[in-house]
């Protein structure tokens, strides 16, 4: 079947495939740098990522230097249709200097900005509050010790400055997302004190004004992590309240809720109280395992909510997964394309028809349409989109992914 007959079939349903393709072109995905090197970073040290997040596996090809990571990213972006963003963590600095976290400066990231400009990419940023001796207790901004809190507050302030300078240099605001691992393995006595300390530290960190045209603050909650099973200081309720009161973005990571919760369902509720949302699209399996995202129901529901609730204009779509048992470039490419495919499917829904059925309490009509819709030739529209954007799909894509991986497997 050709694209033209697929287009006609969608048109029978009142769906405009051309409009969907045009809209999809404009949706940037912020791809996370840390899938490329198993969340290790380029500070001159090795070891686990700490903070309860852990990539598992030892597939060959891990990027060991900024140049290797950029080469892998260039390949990955060339396989992903559209223009996108790169989400950098502070531990990915590119310098011969060895600044501690409270000493990082924009110059340590300047090469990333030059490269992003060259590649036509936007940048997003994250302070790194894990994989550091001062985070070994899984307490950073909420640590009872003022000196440790101050160290991390300084790191956070510098990260905001760096993000703002990145945003100014590239002409697109960098989202600066704050996630801290803080929590307790066993039941704490004084949750209130820990949360009050986290709040005060965040306030101190975000006190210096920044231009929203250059930098946007975001805060990310979590249900639990390995080693902090009893209490996570930055819980969902904590950060939802914080984001509403302080006007920051709220980051919803799909692995940071109870596995039976539908994170897509949260968007419309949260969007009534915060202006903008950041997503960490991920795939938790039994826990916050950060598997590469599939084109599964959870992702499709997320995309559908973004479209049906008209939230694409105020949601920043970021990805957060890391699998070291498969080709890291293939993980980036397939995961990012899955997010785009889910968005395309959402853009190809007969929304008006479904909405009228729902409003008329015609749940049979809604049910029949959503199920029959699944047989429409979405793949042909996706292929057409890839062709127009000069990206391969299907067997050609597989071929390219394999070829690139064999070129890096000697690392
Ligand atoms: C951890 C959070 C956080 C990290 C990245 C590396 O549970 O999801 O977003 O994965 O910052
Ligand atoms: Zn996350």
């Amino acid at each position: 079947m050709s694209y033209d007959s697929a287009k006609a079939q969608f048109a029978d349903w009142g769906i405009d495939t051309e409009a969907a393709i045009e809209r999809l072109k404009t949706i940037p995905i912020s791809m996370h740098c840390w899938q490329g090197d198993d969340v290790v970073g380029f500070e001159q040290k090795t070891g686990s990522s700490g903070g309860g997040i852990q990539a598992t596996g030892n597939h060959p090809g891990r990027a060991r230097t900024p140049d290797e990571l950029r080469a892998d990213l260039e390949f990955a972006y060339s396989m992903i249709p559209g223009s996108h963003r790169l989400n950098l963590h502070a531990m990915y600095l590119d310098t011969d200097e060895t600044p501690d976290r409270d000493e990082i400066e924009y110059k340590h990231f300047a090469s990333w900005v030059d490269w992003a400009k060259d590649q036509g990419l936007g940048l997003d940023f994250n302070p790194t509050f894990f994989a550091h001796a001062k985070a070994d207790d899984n307490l950073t901004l909420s640590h009872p010790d003022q000196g440790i809190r101050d160290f991390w507050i300084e790191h956070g302030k510098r990260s905001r400055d760096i993000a703002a300078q990145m945003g100014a240099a590239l002409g697109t605001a960098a989202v600066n997302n704050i996630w801290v691992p803080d929590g307790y393995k066993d039941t704490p006595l004084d949750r209130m004190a820990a949360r009050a300390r986290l709040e005060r530290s965040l306030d101190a960190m975000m006190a210096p004004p920044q231009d929203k045209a250059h930098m946007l603050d975001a805060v990310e909650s979590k249900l639990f992590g390995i080693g902090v099973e009893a209490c996570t200081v930055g819980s969902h309720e904590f950060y939802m309240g914080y984001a509403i009161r302080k006007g920051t973005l709220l980051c919803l990571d799909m692995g940071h809720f109870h596995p039976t919760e539908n994170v897509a369902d949260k968007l419309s509720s949260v969007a009534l109280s915060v202006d903008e949302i950041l997503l960490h699209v991920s795939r938790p399996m039994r826990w916050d395992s950060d598997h590469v995202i599939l084109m599964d129901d959870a992702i499709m529901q997320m995309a559908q909510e973004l479209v049906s609730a008209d939230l694409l204009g105020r949601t920043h779509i970021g990805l957060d997964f890391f699998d070291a048992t498969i080709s890291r470039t293939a993980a980036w490419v397939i995961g990012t394309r899955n997010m785009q495919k889910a968005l395309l499917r959402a853009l190809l829904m007969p929304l008006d028809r479904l909405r009228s059925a729902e409003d008329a309490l015609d749940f049979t009509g809604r049910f029949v349409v959503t199920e029959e819709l699944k047989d429409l030739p979405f793949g042909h529209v996706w292929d057409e989109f890839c062709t127009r954007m000069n990206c391969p799909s299907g067997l050609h894509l597989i071929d390219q992914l394999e070829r690139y991986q064999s070129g890096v497997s000697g690392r």
Side-chain angles (χ1 to χ4, degrees), residues 57-70:
N58 59 354
H59 201 76
R62 185 180 79 77
R64 298 156 302 180
T65 63
D67 284 338
E68 286 182 353
L69 189 59
R70 283 189 282 262

mmCIF file with all atom_site columns, all heavy atoms in Angstrom, residues 57-70:
data_model
loop_
_atom_site.group_PDB
_atom_site.id
_atom_site.type_symbol
_atom_site.label_atom_id
_atom_site.label_alt_id
_atom_site.label_comp_id
_atom_site.label_asym_id
_atom_site.label_entity_id
_atom_site.label_seq_id
_atom_site.pdbx_PDB_ins_code
_atom_site.Cartn_x
_atom_site.Cartn_y
_atom_site.Cartn_z
_atom_site.occupancy
_atom_site.B_iso_or_equiv
_atom_site.pdbx_formal_charge
_atom_site.auth_seq_id
_atom_site.auth_comp_id
_atom_site.auth_asym_id
_atom_site.auth_atom_id
_atom_site.pdbx_PDB_model_num
ATOM 1   N N   . GLY A 1 57 ? 24.315 -3.874 32.538 1.00 0.00 ? 57 GLY A N   1
ATOM 2   C CA  . GLY A 1 57 ? 24.719 -4.439 31.262 1.00 0.00 ? 57 GLY A CA  1
ATOM 3   C C   . GLY A 1 57 ? 26.094 -3.940 30.872 1.00 0.00 ? 57 GLY A C   1
ATOM 4   O O   . GLY A 1 57 ? 26.588 -2.953 31.413 1.00 0.00 ? 57 GLY A O   1
ATOM 5   N N   . ASN A 1 58 ? 26.730 -4.661 29.952 1.00 0.00 ? 58 ASN A N   1
ATOM 6   C CA  . ASN A 1 58 ? 28.053 -4.220 29.480 1.00 0.00 ? 58 ASN A CA  1
ATOM 7   C C   . ASN A 1 58 ? 28.198 -4.446 27.980 1.00 0.00 ? 58 ASN A C   1
ATOM 8   O O   . ASN A 1 58 ? 29.200 -4.965 27.507 1.00 0.00 ? 58 ASN A O   1
ATOM 9   C CB  . ASN A 1 58 ? 29.189 -4.890 30.270 1.00 0.00 ? 58 ASN A CB  1
ATOM 10  C CG  . ASN A 1 58 ? 29.131 -6.403 30.151 1.00 0.00 ? 58 ASN A CG  1
ATOM 11  O OD1 . ASN A 1 58 ? 28.185 -6.936 29.570 1.00 0.00 ? 58 ASN A OD1 1
ATOM 12  N ND2 . ASN A 1 58 ? 30.139 -7.088 30.658 1.00 0.00 ? 58 ASN A ND2 1
ATOM 13  N N   . HIS A 1 59 ? 27.195 -4.069 27.251 1.00 0.00 ? 59 HIS A N   1
ATOM 14  C CA  . HIS A 1 59 ? 27.260 -4.141 25.789 1.00 0.00 ? 59 HIS A CA  1
ATOM 15  C C   . HIS A 1 59 ? 28.429 -3.282 25.316 1.00 0.00 ? 59 HIS A C   1
ATOM 16  O O   . HIS A 1 59 ? 28.659 -2.214 25.872 1.00 0.00 ? 59 HIS A O   1
ATOM 17  C CB  . HIS A 1 59 ? 25.944 -3.601 25.212 1.00 0.00 ? 59 HIS A CB  1
ATOM 18  C CG  . HIS A 1 59 ? 25.687 -4.066 23.816 1.00 0.00 ? 59 HIS A CG  1
ATOM 19  N ND1 . HIS A 1 59 ? 25.259 -5.334 23.526 1.00 0.00 ? 59 HIS A ND1 1
ATOM 20  C CD2 . HIS A 1 59 ? 25.799 -3.422 22.635 1.00 0.00 ? 59 HIS A CD2 1
ATOM 21  C CE1 . HIS A 1 59 ? 25.116 -5.453 22.214 1.00 0.00 ? 59 HIS A CE1 1
ATOM 22  N NE2 . HIS A 1 59 ? 25.443 -4.315 21.650 1.00 0.00 ? 59 HIS A NE2 1
ATOM 23  N N   . PRO A 1 60 ? 29.170 -3.741 24.303 1.00 0.00 ? 60 PRO A N   1
ATOM 24  C CA  . PRO A 1 60 ? 30.293 -2.912 23.859 1.00 0.00 ? 60 PRO A CA  1
ATOM 25  C C   . PRO A 1 60 ? 29.825 -1.583 23.240 1.00 0.00 ? 60 PRO A C   1
ATOM 26  O O   . PRO A 1 60 ? 28.721 -1.512 22.709 1.00 0.00 ? 60 PRO A O   1
ATOM 27  C CB  . PRO A 1 60 ? 30.973 -3.788 22.800 1.00 0.00 ? 60 PRO A CB  1
ATOM 28  C CG  . PRO A 1 60 ? 29.978 -4.820 22.413 1.00 0.00 ? 60 PRO A CG  1
ATOM 29  C CD  . PRO A 1 60 ? 29.087 -5.021 23.595 1.00 0.00 ? 60 PRO A CD  1
ATOM 30  N N   . GLY A 1 61 ? 30.689 -0.574 23.341 1.00 0.00 ? 61 GLY A N   1
ATOM 31  C CA  . GLY A 1 61 ? 30.401 0.681  22.641 1.00 0.00 ? 61 GLY A CA  1
ATOM 32  C C   . GLY A 1 61 ? 30.080 1.856  23.530 1.00 0.00 ? 61 GLY A C   1
ATOM 33  O O   . GLY A 1 61 ? 29.735 2.927  23.034 1.00 0.00 ? 61 GLY A O   1
ATOM 34  N N   . ARG A 1 62 ? 30.223 1.717  24.847 1.00 0.00 ? 62 ARG A N   1
ATOM 35  C CA  . ARG A 1 62 ? 29.938 2.851  25.727 1.00 0.00 ? 62 ARG A CA  1
ATOM 36  C C   . ARG A 1 62 ? 30.822 4.050  25.352 1.00 0.00 ? 62 ARG A C   1
ATOM 37  O O   . ARG A 1 62 ? 32.029 3.887  25.168 1.00 0.00 ? 62 ARG A O   1
ATOM 38  C CB  . ARG A 1 62 ? 30.206 2.448  27.182 1.00 0.00 ? 62 ARG A CB  1
ATOM 39  C CG  . ARG A 1 62 ? 29.831 3.495  28.202 1.00 0.00 ? 62 ARG A CG  1
ATOM 40  C CD  . ARG A 1 62 ? 30.127 3.029  29.622 1.00 0.00 ? 62 ARG A CD  1
ATOM 41  N NE  . ARG A 1 62 ? 31.539 3.161  29.952 1.00 0.00 ? 62 ARG A NE  1
ATOM 42  C CZ  . ARG A 1 62 ? 32.134 4.319  30.267 1.00 0.00 ? 62 ARG A CZ  1
ATOM 43  N NH1 . ARG A 1 62 ? 31.428 5.423  30.313 1.00 0.00 ? 62 ARG A NH1 1
ATOM 44  N NH2 . ARG A 1 62 ? 33.414 4.343  30.536 1.00 0.00 ? 62 ARG A NH2 1
ATOM 45  N N   . ALA A 1 63 ? 30.229 5.224  25.229 1.00 0.00 ? 63 ALA A N   1
ATOM 46  C CA  . ALA A 1 63 ? 31.018 6.419  24.930 1.00 0.00 ? 63 ALA A CA  1
ATOM 47  C C   . ALA A 1 63 ? 31.843 6.784  26.158 1.00 0.00 ? 63 ALA A C   1
ATOM 48  O O   . ALA A 1 63 ? 31.313 6.920  27.250 1.00 0.00 ? 63 ALA A O   1
ATOM 49  C CB  . ALA A 1 63 ? 30.093 7.572  24.548 1.00 0.00 ? 63 ALA A CB  1
ATOM 50  N N   . ARG A 1 64 ? 33.159 6.946  25.947 1.00 0.00 ? 64 ARG A N   1
ATOM 51  C CA  . ARG A 1 64 ? 34.042 7.207  27.087 1.00 0.00 ? 64 ARG A CA  1
ATOM 52  C C   . ARG A 1 64 ? 34.510 8.651  27.153 1.00 0.00 ? 64 ARG A C   1
ATOM 53  O O   . ARG A 1 64 ? 35.119 9.077  28.130 1.00 0.00 ? 64 ARG A O   1
ATOM 54  C CB  . ARG A 1 64 ? 35.267 6.286  27.021 1.00 0.00 ? 64 ARG A CB  1
ATOM 55  C CG  . ARG A 1 64 ? 34.903 4.805  27.115 1.00 0.00 ? 64 ARG A CG  1
ATOM 56  C CD  . ARG A 1 64 ? 35.959 3.935  26.491 1.00 0.00 ? 64 ARG A CD  1
ATOM 57  N NE  . ARG A 1 64 ? 36.182 4.289  25.088 1.00 0.00 ? 64 ARG A NE  1
ATOM 58  C CZ  . ARG A 1 64 ? 37.054 3.694  24.293 1.00 0.00 ? 64 ARG A CZ  1
ATOM 59  N NH1 . ARG A 1 64 ? 37.815 2.719  24.747 1.00 0.00 ? 64 ARG A NH1 1
ATOM 60  N NH2 . ARG A 1 64 ? 37.177 4.077  23.035 1.00 0.00 ? 64 ARG A NH2 1
ATOM 61  N N   . THR A 1 65 ? 34.307 9.389  26.079 1.00 0.00 ? 65 THR A N   1
ATOM 62  C CA  . THR A 1 65 ? 34.765 10.776 26.033 1.00 0.00 ? 65 THR A CA  1
ATOM 63  C C   . THR A 1 65 ? 33.655 11.634 25.425 1.00 0.00 ? 65 THR A C   1
ATOM 64  O O   . THR A 1 65 ? 32.776 11.117 24.737 1.00 0.00 ? 65 THR A O   1
ATOM 65  C CB  . THR A 1 65 ? 36.005 10.912 25.127 1.00 0.00 ? 65 THR A CB  1
ATOM 66  O OG1 . THR A 1 65 ? 35.604 10.555 23.783 1.00 0.00 ? 65 THR A OG1 1
ATOM 67  C CG2 . THR A 1 65 ? 37.140 10.008 25.573 1.00 0.00 ? 65 THR A CG2 1
ATOM 68  N N   . PRO A 1 66 ? 33.738 12.960 25.635 1.00 0.00 ? 66 PRO A N   1
ATOM 69  C CA  . PRO A 1 66 ? 32.739 13.834 24.996 1.00 0.00 ? 66 PRO A CA  1
ATOM 70  C C   . PRO A 1 66 ? 32.730 13.661 23.477 1.00 0.00 ? 66 PRO A C   1
ATOM 71  O O   . PRO A 1 66 ? 31.661 13.664 22.868 1.00 0.00 ? 66 PRO A O   1
ATOM 72  C CB  . PRO A 1 66 ? 33.194 15.240 25.394 1.00 0.00 ? 66 PRO A CB  1
ATOM 73  C CG  . PRO A 1 66 ? 33.913 15.044 26.692 1.00 0.00 ? 66 PRO A CG  1
ATOM 74  C CD  . PRO A 1 66 ? 34.601 13.702 26.574 1.00 0.00 ? 66 PRO A CD  1
ATOM 75  N N   . ASP A 1 67 ? 33.902 13.468 22.865 1.00 0.00 ? 67 ASP A N   1
ATOM 76  C CA  . ASP A 1 67 ? 33.932 13.311 21.408 1.00 0.00 ? 67 ASP A CA  1
ATOM 77  C C   . ASP A 1 67 ? 33.211 12.041 20.967 1.00 0.00 ? 67 ASP A C   1
ATOM 78  O O   . ASP A 1 67 ? 32.476 12.047 19.983 1.00 0.00 ? 67 ASP A O   1
ATOM 79  C CB  . ASP A 1 67 ? 35.372 13.314 20.884 1.00 0.00 ? 67 ASP A CB  1
ATOM 80  C CG  . ASP A 1 67 ? 35.949 14.727 20.863 1.00 0.00 ? 67 ASP A CG  1
ATOM 81  O OD1 . ASP A 1 67 ? 35.158 15.695 20.841 1.00 0.00 ? 67 ASP A OD1 1
ATOM 82  O OD2 . ASP A 1 67 ? 37.197 14.858 20.896 1.00 0.00 ? 67 ASP A OD2 1
ATOM 83  N N   . GLU A 1 68 ? 33.420 10.954 21.706 1.00 0.00 ? 68 GLU A N   1
ATOM 84  C CA  . GLU A 1 68 ? 32.700 9.718  21.361 1.00 0.00 ? 68 GLU A CA  1
ATOM 85  C C   . GLU A 1 68 ? 31.203 9.890  21.545 1.00 0.00 ? 68 GLU A C   1
ATOM 86  O O   . GLU A 1 68 ? 30.399 9.439  20.725 1.00 0.00 ? 68 GLU A O   1
ATOM 87  C CB  . GLU A 1 68 ? 33.208 8.545  22.232 1.00 0.00 ? 68 GLU A CB  1
ATOM 88  C CG  . GLU A 1 68 ? 34.588 8.048  21.824 1.00 0.00 ? 68 GLU A CG  1
ATOM 89  C CD  . GLU A 1 68 ? 35.079 6.853  22.638 1.00 0.00 ? 68 GLU A CD  1
ATOM 90  O OE1 . GLU A 1 68 ? 34.423 6.457  23.637 1.00 0.00 ? 68 GLU A OE1 1
ATOM 91  O OE2 . GLU A 1 68 ? 36.155 6.319  22.283 1.00 0.00 ? 68 GLU A OE2 1
ATOM 92  N N   . LEU A 1 69 ? 30.837 10.560 22.621 1.00 0.00 ? 69 LEU A N   1
ATOM 93  C CA  . LEU A 1 69 ? 29.403 10.745 22.874 1.00 0.00 ? 69 LEU A CA  1
ATOM 94  C C   . LEU A 1 69 ? 28.777 11.610 21.773 1.00 0.00 ? 69 LEU A C   1
ATOM 95  O O   . LEU A 1 69 ? 27.687 11.317 21.281 1.00 0.00 ? 69 LEU A O   1
ATOM 96  C CB  . LEU A 1 69 ? 29.196 11.387 24.256 1.00 0.00 ? 69 LEU A CB  1
ATOM 97  C CG  . LEU A 1 69 ? 27.760 11.438 24.760 1.00 0.00 ? 69 LEU A CG  1
ATOM 98  C CD1 . LEU A 1 69 ? 27.139 10.049 24.875 1.00 0.00 ? 69 LEU A CD1 1
ATOM 99  C CD2 . LEU A 1 69 ? 27.670 12.130 26.123 1.00 0.00 ? 69 LEU A CD2 1
ATOM 100 N N   . ARG A 1 70 ? 29.497 12.662 21.376 1.00 0.00 ? 70 ARG A N   1
ATOM 101 C CA  . ARG A 1 70 ? 28.959 13.531 20.312 1.00 0.00 ? 70 ARG A CA  1
ATOM 102 C C   . ARG A 1 70 ? 28.860 12.775 18.985 1.00 0.00 ? 70 ARG A C   1
ATOM 103 O O   . ARG A 1 70 ? 27.886 12.946 18.249 1.00 0.00 ? 70 ARG A O   1
ATOM 104 C CB  . ARG A 1 70 ? 29.818 14.793 20.171 1.00 0.00 ? 70 ARG A CB  1
ATOM 105 C CG  . ARG A 1 70 ? 29.536 15.809 21.281 1.00 0.00 ? 70 ARG A CG  1
ATOM 106 C CD  . ARG A 1 70 ? 30.227 17.132 21.007 1.00 0.00 ? 70 ARG A CD  1
ATOM 107 N NE  . ARG A 1 70 ? 31.640 17.076 21.332 1.00 0.00 ? 70 ARG A NE  1
ATOM 108 C CZ  . ARG A 1 70 ? 32.172 17.524 22.476 1.00 0.00 ? 70 ARG A CZ  1
ATOM 109 N NH1 . ARG A 1 70 ? 31.382 18.086 23.382 1.00 0.00 ? 70 ARG A NH1 1
ATOM 110 N NH2 . ARG A 1 70 ? 33.449 17.437 22.699 1.00 0.00 ? 70 ARG A NH2 1
#
